[in-house]
Amino acid sequence: MAATKKTGTTKKTNKKASARVLSEKELQTLIDAVPDERRKLAANIVSELVWMSKMMDTLKSKADEIGPLEWFVQGEQSMLRENPALKSYNTTIKNYATLLSKLTDLLPKATTPPPTSDAGDQFDDFVAGRDAD
């Protein structure tokens, strides 16, 4: 049964790894959108994000293989503890989100207002018509 589980995990990881490649390409294209004076910083952040993404794949597959808890044995002492791979994954994903936020902060702010529609006018007309009754 464990061999089947490993095979399933490996297949999932391979699918996620190929999805990560697309994500890496998208991250690389973000560098071009960053102003020149901040582009080197953006490249460093993207490099770290790519590394963290690969590390998270490894940690996640290990956590899936072992589960959230494991028996820790040291000499005569044994206890149930949180899986260290899961603990590292949780820390890494938080740091990944923080770095991704910093990268998006480097992007220029949108200068054009979002497109407007007449939906607001229709709503106002509806309210005015309803209140008139």
Side-chain angles (χ1 to χ4, degrees):
M1 182 183 260
T4 307
K5 204 171 197 180
K6 281 186 180 180
T7 305
T9 303
T10 303
K11 288 180 182 178
K12 286 181 184 177
T13 303
N14 289 339
K15 288 179 186 176
K16 289 181 182 178
S18 64
R20 293 278 189 221
V21 171
L22 295 175
S23 180
E24 290 173 28
K25 290 178 182 178
E26 291 173 354
L27 288 171
Q28 293 293 340
T29 60
L30 285 176
I31 295 174
D32 295 332
V34 173
D36 290 337
E37 64 273 5
R38 294 182 171 191
R39 197 164 286 164
K40 186 174 181 177
L41 177 59
N44 289 339
I45 290 174
V46 166
S47 174
E48 290 300 314
L49 287 170
V50 168
W51 182 86
M52 291 171 90
S53 176
K54 291 175 184 175
M55 186 57 60
M56 286 189 302
D57 284 341
T58 302
L59 291 168
K60 190 172 184 177
S61 67
K62 192 66 172 172
D64 286 343
E65 178 184 322
I66 296 171
L69 302 173
E70 70 175 3
W71 278 104
F72 174 70
V73 179
Q74 186 173 15
E76 294 180 18
Q77 183 181 16
S78 65
M79 67 180 115
L80 192 61
R81 71 174 183 178
E82 180 181 7
N83 181 341
L86 182 60
K87 198 173 202 177
S88 294
Y89 176 83
N90 289 334
T91 301
T92 304
I93 199 163
K94 287 176 188 175
N95 293 336
Y96 183 89
T98 300
L99 267 183
L100 191 57
S101 175
K102 292 199 181 295
L103 179 62
T104 56
D105 289 346
L106 294 175
L107 295 172
K109 306 293 182 232
T111 56
T112 57
T116 59
S117 68
D118 63 344
D121 294 336
Q122 291 174 358
F123 179 74
D124 291 340
D125 292 343
F126 169 75
V127 171
R130 182 193 66 185
D131 292 341
D133 291 334

